Amino acid sequence: MAAPRKPDDRPPLWARLERPAPAPRQTLSPHRIATAAVGVADAEGLDAITMRRLATELGVAPMAAYRYVSGKDELLELMADHVHGELELPGETAGWRETLREIAVRTRELMLKHLWLAQLPPSAMLAVTPNRLAVAERSLRAVDGLDLDPDTRMAVVNTVSSYTQGVTGAEIAMRRLMAGQGWSSEQQVYLSMAPQLTYLLDTGRYPGFRQYIYEGRHKDRPGWQFETGLEYVLDGIAARLFAR
């Protein structure tokens, strides 16, 4: 059984970064560190991220980045915040549905640009960061005028966010499988599953899934699938609001 982690008595990461200790020679910055690390992760995946590799990319001493981040966990948190700064938020005049839809679509685009976002460890996946909070804050403001209590507003925002993360995560898993096998199309994935899938469908126990496999016309259009499902999620929220 692993020993419990000792509490860190240092200030939180974002407090340290916003009020850095004075240094005689400023060769690094959080932005430069995050940019270098994101470049490695985009090209080679999260497994390539180490503090030593980061130092090599930055051309600094191995311990230099520790002035800003305590190790890989905080580095991943910094990276996640950095890329969420790329997410363009809808203007304040947009309605609640348009806002939540645009944030969902742009979040999917962000995740597909930075595939490693779907593979972050729990500590980084759930980390509270400035740019992530800005996205959540914009979503909450969008539903602020719907006469909902704070818990329900957050439930609405989390519902759309969970749909986005889940569906896009599955899309990324498909891409990773294809890349690992050297396949260029989803049809090759389906062909690899054909023997087992055919056997299971021929049992007659899965008529709905069988109909989808043989009659579905959008299996190779993940964008269509995502946006269609998203509209149904938003329709459900709208129906509940009007019913109230």
Side-chain angles (χ1 to χ4, degrees):
M1 181 176 179
R5 293 180 59 184
K6 296 177 63 176
D8 192 342
D9 58 0
R10 299 188 308 164
L13 171 63
W14 301 105
R16 301 199 314 269
L17 294 184
E18 291 181 4
R19 297 191 298 273
R25 183 164 172 253
Q26 199 84 355
T27 60
L28 289 181
S29 68
H31 177 80
R32 187 179 170 210
I33 291 170
T35 300
V38 167
V40 173
D42 285 348
E44 303 176 40
L46 282 185
D47 290 343
I49 296 294
T50 66
M51 296 301 287
R52 183 170 295 276
R53 173 66 184 278
L54 177 63
T56 300
E57 292 292 322
L58 292 168
V60 298
M63 299 300 292
Y66 283 97
R67 181 173 177 270
Y68 295 91
V69 293
S70 63
K72 185 172 179 177
D73 287 348
E74 286 193 346
L75 176 59
L76 295 177
E77 186 176 337
L78 183 64
M79 292 164 58
D81 182 73
H82 182 75
V83 297
H84 275 81
E86 300 172 11
L87 202 156
E88 182 181 353
L89 299 176
E92 295 294 334
T93 58
W96 73 266
R97 179 167 181 147
E98 180 186 354
T99 298
L100 296 187
R101 183 186 183 282
E102 283 303 307
I103 290 175
V105 169
R106 293 171 187 175
T107 298
R108 173 177 176 265
E109 293 171 351
L110 185 74
M111 292 177 67
L112 294 179
K113 179 180 178 182
H114 305 289
L115 299 181
W116 50 270
L117 281 171
Q119 285 94 49
L120 287 170
S123 59
M125 184 75 75
L126 301 175
V128 178
T129 78
N131 284 325
R132 279 176 162 171
L133 275 184
V135 178
E137 180 69 20
R138 180 66 188 92
S139 298
L140 287 169
R141 285 204 308 275
V143 297
D144 189 45
L146 298 180
D147 192 27
L148 302 173
D149 61 75
D151 291 317
T152 305
R153 288 200 298 272
M154 183 59 77
V156 168
V157 169
N158 280 340
T159 295
V160 179
S161 176
S162 296
Y163 169 81
T164 303
Q165 299 282 336
V167 174
T168 309
E171 185 177 349
I172 289 172
M174 174 69 81
R175 290 192 179 196
R176 294 185 69 205
L177 174 61
M178 290 167 57
Q181 297 294 330
W183 294 332
S184 58
S185 74
E186 293 186 10
Q187 290 301 319
Q188 291 169 289
V189 179
Y190 300 139
L191 286 173
S192 73
M193 300 176 177
Q196 183 152 279
L197 184 59
T198 299
Y199 167 78
L200 289 172
L201 295 183
D202 286 349
T203 65
R205 296 196 295 265
Y206 314 102
F209 199 82
R210 179 186 178 89
Q211 183 181 28
Y212 168 71
I213 290 298
Y214 288 106
E215 298 180 23
R217 296 292 178 265
H218 301 289
K219 292 189 289 294
D220 59 347
R221 296 179 60 193
W224 181 93
Q225 295 171 22
F226 175 83
E227 296 207 25
T228 300
L230 177 60
E231 289 301 320
Y232 275 95
V233 171
L234 295 172
D235 284 347
I237 294 170
R240 182 65 180 260
L241 290 172
F242 287 124
R244 295 174 69 253

